[in-house]
Amino acid sequence: MIHHRTPEFDAILKRVLFNLKKIFFSHQDVYIFSSTGSGGMEALIVNVLNPGDEVLSVVSGKFGERWADMAETFGARVTRFPIPWGERFPLDQFEDILIKKPFSAVLTQACETSTGAAHPIAKMGDIVRKTQNKNCLFLVDGITALGAYPLPMDDWNIDGLVGGSQKAFMLPTGLSFVCLSDRAWEKAEQVKTPRFYFDLRKEREANKRSETYFSSSVAHIRALDWVLSDLLSRGIADHFKPIERRCLFTRTFCSRLGLSLFPQSPSLSLTALRLPPDLDGQKIRSRLESEFAITVMGGQDQLKGKILRIGHMGYIKNIEMIRLIKALSQVLQSEGWAFPPFDEKELVSWWENNE
Ligand SMILES: *Cc1c(COP(=O)(O)O)cnc(C)c1O
């Protein structure tokens, strides 16, 4: 371990902060907090919303619920925009609501991880700009999108964007990343909401000296330095591509196993599969874990036992994806689920045929 107030660490932090901007596709500076992703979501709220602000909050799963509740906790007047879990984002209804009433902010997930749905952020950003005055901020929780597929903050009119270390950044839990547009910074200078740890103004001053305001999470940031340097040396497109291929592989062979996708607009960062009613998702998950040492996630709340979620972010080898499909097909078969058999060689040749 090195000390965080040393020239050696300052150089690392400076490089990391510079490289993060490329993942955000932004000319704005990015800030790092020693918190999980939810801390980054809170940082956005407390820095750009005042108590009493009218906020429209997209709620299409667990993480949408969390952000709406969080905004309410800090005094915002939250109008929820509910979408039945897994359903396609209703752009027309979204526009109808925004035309009728001015909001101080619109909150949404880019990818609602609890259902595996990706939201049409570029189109949503256009609608917000078209229907609202310039004071309305478009705030996006990109925790399972940023770093997994393109989410260009500046081009898509995003005013606040948050990412997290343990999802697309392929690291342990413990860092969140936050970026604001000029418009959001203007608001951040005046906001009355109490903020101390997550005060971006203090962070901005410290970053100018290549330091974080509070003690830096040195181990995480050094690991992030490695991840970003490696990723950017290959080029960001070459980083996104394998994630997409793992996703397409999973979709292809899970459909051969007779499983359908749960969300109507599925994300590239994870695949959520709907299980037939006579299969118990909890049991399938725990058998994959105990018999094959493969970890996949299930559903939460209303989806408990009904879906399986397979993550595509992280350092995952093709051979591991092949093992997953083999294991899943064995477990499904022994649970009494029938599907037309296929040759295992296809699992190998898929990768050669889909370069
Ligand atoms: C994981 C996740 C979060 C944050 O969770 P933490 O446990 O606080 O890191 C927030 N939003 C989405 C969409 C997520 O997938």
Side-chain angles (χ1 to χ4, degrees):
M1 195 61 63
I2 57 174
H3 194 274
H4 59 277
R5 307 283 186 219
T6 55
E8 188 184 2
F9 182 72
D10 291 354
I12 294 171
L13 182 65
K14 199 171 172 185
R15 183 164 56 233
V16 164
L17 291 172
F18 179 77
N19 284 339
L20 272 175
K21 291 159 70 121
K22 299 181 189 161
I23 312 294
F24 278 70
F25 291 85
S26 181
H27 72 286
Q28 300 286 350
D29 290 330
V30 179
Y31 300 88
I32 301 178
F33 287 110
S34 300
S35 73
T36 69
S38 303
M41 293 160 78
E42 181 162 325
L44 279 187
I45 304 270
V46 297
N47 280 281
V48 304
L49 291 183
N50 273 314
D53 274 357
E54 294 284 348
V55 168
L56 185 70
S57 204
V58 172
V59 179
S60 59
K62 279 302 266 185
F63 292 103
E65 283 174 2
R66 179 181 301 178
W67 220 9
D69 292 347
M70 212 186 258
E72 237 160 27
T73 301
F74 288 98
R77 295 156 66 102
V78 176
T79 303
R80 287 172 174 74
F81 183 71
I83 304 170
W85 289 26
E87 282 187 15
R88 193 178 307 284
F89 192 90
L91 284 165
D92 293 346
Q93 286 173 33
F94 184 65
E95 184 161 352
D96 288 347
I97 289 196
L98 289 170
I99 283 174
K100 287 194 194 110
K101 183 174 162 184
F103 288 96
S104 299
V106 174
L107 267 51
T108 188
Q109 275 54 49
C111 166
E112 176 48 81
T113 322
S114 62
T115 66
H119 292 328
I121 298 300
K123 292 192 180 117
M124 291 165 69
D126 285 344
I127 292 174
V128 172
R129 285 283 74 82
K130 192 173 78 182
T131 55
Q132 294 281 308
N133 66 35
K134 67 171 184 32
N135 299 325
C136 178
L137 302 175
F138 184 41
L139 307 181
V140 178
D141 162 5
I143 292 175
T144 39
L146 190 73
Y149 54 87
L151 187 62
M153 165 148 173
D154 295 0
D155 287 355
W156 288 2
N157 294 309
I158 299 171
D159 294 301
L161 181 57
V162 50
S165 56
Q166 84 270 31
K167 306 278 174 70
F169 289 84
M170 307 169 287
L171 288 167
T173 311
L175 295 180
S176 62
F177 315 116
V178 173
C179 189
L180 297 187
S181 69
D182 287 328
R183 208 195 322 256
W185 265 114
E186 265 173 49
K187 181 101 185 262
E189 307 286 359
Q190 308 151 12
V191 152
K192 301 279 186 303
T193 304
R195 48 191 153 153
F196 195 91
Y197 186 81
F198 290 120
D199 192 336
L200 278 165
R201 296 166 301 181
K202 284 190 289 206
E203 223 34 61
R204 184 175 54 187
E205 287 317 302
N207 284 183
K208 282 183 188 151
R209 304 185 301 270
S210 296
E211 291 180 349
T212 52
Y213 188 74
F214 298 100
S215 303
S216 316
S217 186
V218 172
H220 279 108
I221 292 174
R222 289 175 94 182
L224 177 62
D225 183 33
W226 189 88
V227 167
L228 294 175
S229 302
D230 173 63
L231 189 164
L232 294 168
S233 74
R234 281 179 286 122
I236 196 150
D238 281 346
H239 167 69
F240 290 144
K241 192 161 176 231
I243 298 172
E244 184 174 1
R245 287 177 80 214
R246 292 198 279 275
C247 174
L248 297 180
F249 174 83
T250 307
R251 286 185 196 170
T252 303
F253 287 98
C254 287
S255 130
R256 301 278 292 272
L257 296 175
L259 302 179
S260 57
L261 293 174
F262 176 72
Q264 290 176 341
S265 357
S267 172
L268 293 170
S269 48
L270 77 150
T271 296
L273 300 159
R274 186 195 298 279
L275 290 169
D278 38 343
L279 287 176
D280 175 2
Q282 300 280 69
K283 187 160 176 214
I284 292 171
R285 259 189 81 194
S286 62
R287 285 194 58 188
L288 285 172
E289 187 81 53
S290 60
E291 294 167 34
F292 300 92
I294 292 173
T295 305
V296 300
M297 299 310 285
Q300 296 154 292
D301 291 357
Q302 44 175 291
L303 292 179
K304 206 174 172 98
K306 296 183 179 155
I307 63 169
L308 282 183
R309 292 180 299 147
I310 299 169
H312 306 310
M313 298 162 286
Y315 293 101
I316 305 169
K317 298 195 177 99
N318 299 349
I319 186 75
E320 295 174 299
M321 296 305 299
I322 294 172
R323 275 188 48 224
L324 163 76
I325 298 296
K326 282 190 192 170
L328 186 58
S329 62
Q330 278 180 40
V331 170
L332 288 173
Q333 228 159 16
S334 74
E335 291 292 319
W337 178 246
F339 48 87
F342 57 86
D343 192 340
E344 281 183 8
K345 286 199 195 95
E346 283 185 58
L347 293 170
V348 178
S349 60
W350 187 93
W351 297 95
E352 286 146 22
N353 300 333
N354 292 274
E355 270 302 336

